[in-house]
Amino acid sequence: MSIIAIVGVVAPALLHVYILVLEMFLWTSSRARAAFGTTEKFAVSTKAMAANQGLYNGFLAAGLLWGAFASDPIGFQVRVFFLACVAVAGLYGAATTSRKILFVQTIPALAVLTLVLLAR
């Protein structure tokens, strides 16, 4: 796989690690509230739910990193699977929460998926 494709897979993985940290550990902080557009009251009342979401983002990050560094053919299959998961999660988030997710998560995941398929 090309270096560009590897970097492309690692980039959304790092984004999902950042989201994990925001949701699991910093949910009630001003930084996380600004990132997600929530109030302090809402953040306090949804802290456990957000931590659960953060854990799922961690699983996405772990899968992307696994795929980025695993040998093919398994690495290729893992990359495709987890990039598709990120894109689908982004579509759902954009439809139910904020269109911003489409541009932050879905479109980049599809672009990287294209890179991965072209690098094959």
Side-chain angles (χ1 to χ4, degrees):
M1 179 167 69
S2 76
I3 298 295
I4 294 171
I6 292 171
V7 171
V9 174
V10 170
L14 295 177
L15 172 65
H16 284 279
V17 168
Y18 178 66
I19 294 169
L20 172 147
V21 170
L22 286 176
E23 291 177 337
M24 291 190 80
F25 306 111
L26 303 175
W27 184 247
T28 58
S29 72
S30 60
R31 176 183 224 157
R33 289 194 327 268
F36 294 102
T38 60
T39 64
E40 185 174 2
K41 182 179 178 182
F42 178 83
V44 169
S45 69
T46 58
K47 190 173 181 178
M49 181 220 44
N52 188 51
Q53 284 181 194
L55 185 61
Y56 284 96
N57 277 290
F59 292 140
L60 289 174
L64 290 167
L65 291 171
W66 173 27
F69 299 107
S71 300
D72 288 337
I74 298 298
F76 175 76
Q77 295 165 348
V78 170
R79 288 188 293 276
V80 169
F81 175 78
F82 278 96
L83 287 165
C85 286
V86 170
V88 170
L91 285 173
Y92 185 80
T96 60
T97 305
S98 169
R99 284 191 64 206
K100 175 181 161 185
I101 296 170
L102 189 68
F103 302 102
V104 172
Q105 187 170 330
T106 306
I107 292 172
L110 293 174
V112 173
L113 180 57
T114 301
L115 278 175
V116 166
L117 293 172
L118 292 173
R120 179 107 162 114

